[in-house]
Amino acid sequence: MRRFVVILITSLLGLTACGGDSGPGLDEYADALAEGILADDNDDSLDTTDDEAHCIGDATAPIIGLDALEEAGTPEEVTELAEDDLSAFDLSDGKAIDIATATFDCVDGIVDQLIESFETGSDDIDQCLADELEDAQLIPLLAISLKGADVTEEDTADLTETLVACSGGDDGDEERLAYESALTSFLMSDAAGELGDTEATCIASEALGIIGRDRTVALGTPDEFVAATTDDLDALELTDQEIIAVADAYIGCAPGVVDELRTAFVAGTGITGEPAVCLTEAVDDYVAAQILALSLSGADRPAILQSLQSTVQTCA
């Protein structure tokens, strides 16, 4: 299954996986997807073990849905489709993010594989990239490719900045630090949170990397940027993928917030008893990121809300 496509000075992440078909059930389609992943011998393919491929297949089949898989064809046909992309399934942004997230969760060393595809020729640059790149920065790019769309220069602007910085460029470092410091101070002073300096700095750094310089400075000085985003992040006009990436970065830096989000979410549904226990177990890190994403955005996010409603319905 072709995963990475090297484009421009950086390599753009390109996953083509998937499958679809009618058939006995999700288990058969999951196996078919895994077989397709393992069968791909393209030079740019993501290296996966048998267990990793089946992990991706098991996660991807229910996200695509049995109806869409049945419409696509038989499990055998799905195996062939798994060597292509997922454009045939007309994935929503939310489903593409779900599958991309599952891929990162299933495959060990996926970031290292991406860095190797960059062919920087420098161990120091590769190590810098390994230290700086985060899943939350790459998952949205993978999600774009999953939908069969081209990853553009604009999509990879933040990734390019990281590569340039790791290659020795330091233009804008002082500016970046000023915004990061202002955002860190706000996060630590926010009455709703109890973040330490390390956690707050981590969140600020990751969030600014996802938001990008242009949208950051467009809101004004560091203090004006913080003021404009105090209540929510709508002034930044983030896509669903980006707002979830910011939330995922937040959780990655401060994992303790997941328990708070889980408790608040279950309580907010009004569900009790066994269904509440089921829902509590269903709120993993990614579902928690969806919950946090809604709280970070005051705008309507129907795709994210629908995904959360589906989670609730599985237990209600």
Side-chain angles (χ1 to χ4, degrees), residues 153-205:
E153 277 189 81
E154 182 179 359
D155 295 324
T156 59
D158 295 334
L159 187 57
T160 302
E161 286 184 11
T162 301
L163 181 56
V164 170
C166 284
S167 299
D170 57 6
D171 291 344
D173 279 359
E174 292 184 5
E175 177 187 68
R176 168 66 179 261
L177 288 174
Y179 282 93
E180 183 177 305
S181 178
L183 184 53
T184 298
S185 296
F186 166 71
L187 290 169
M188 292 184 65
S189 64
D190 183 8
E194 297 180 356
L195 297 172
D197 178 72
T198 300
E199 292 176 327
T201 300
C202 174
I203 294 168
S205 177

Side-chain angles (χ1 to χ4, degrees), residues 127-140:
Q127 184 58 55
C128 176
L129 290 171
D131 293 338
E132 296 297 327
L133 289 177
E134 299 288 342
D135 290 2
Q137 197 175 356
L138 300 172
I139 285 173

Side-chain angles (χ1 to χ4, degrees), residues 245-268:
V246 171
D248 192 55
Y250 192 114
I251 288 173
C253 293
V257 75
V258 173
D259 288 337
E260 298 175 24
L261 291 166
R262 180 184 294 116
T263 300
F265 180 63
V266 175

Side-chain angles (χ1 to χ4, degrees), residues 243 247 289-302 304-305 308:
I243 197 74
Q290 292 179 311
I291 297 167
L292 180 56
L294 287 182
S295 71
L296 292 173
S297 175
D300 291 335
R301 301 282 180 172
I304 299 176
L305 183 59
L308 289 174

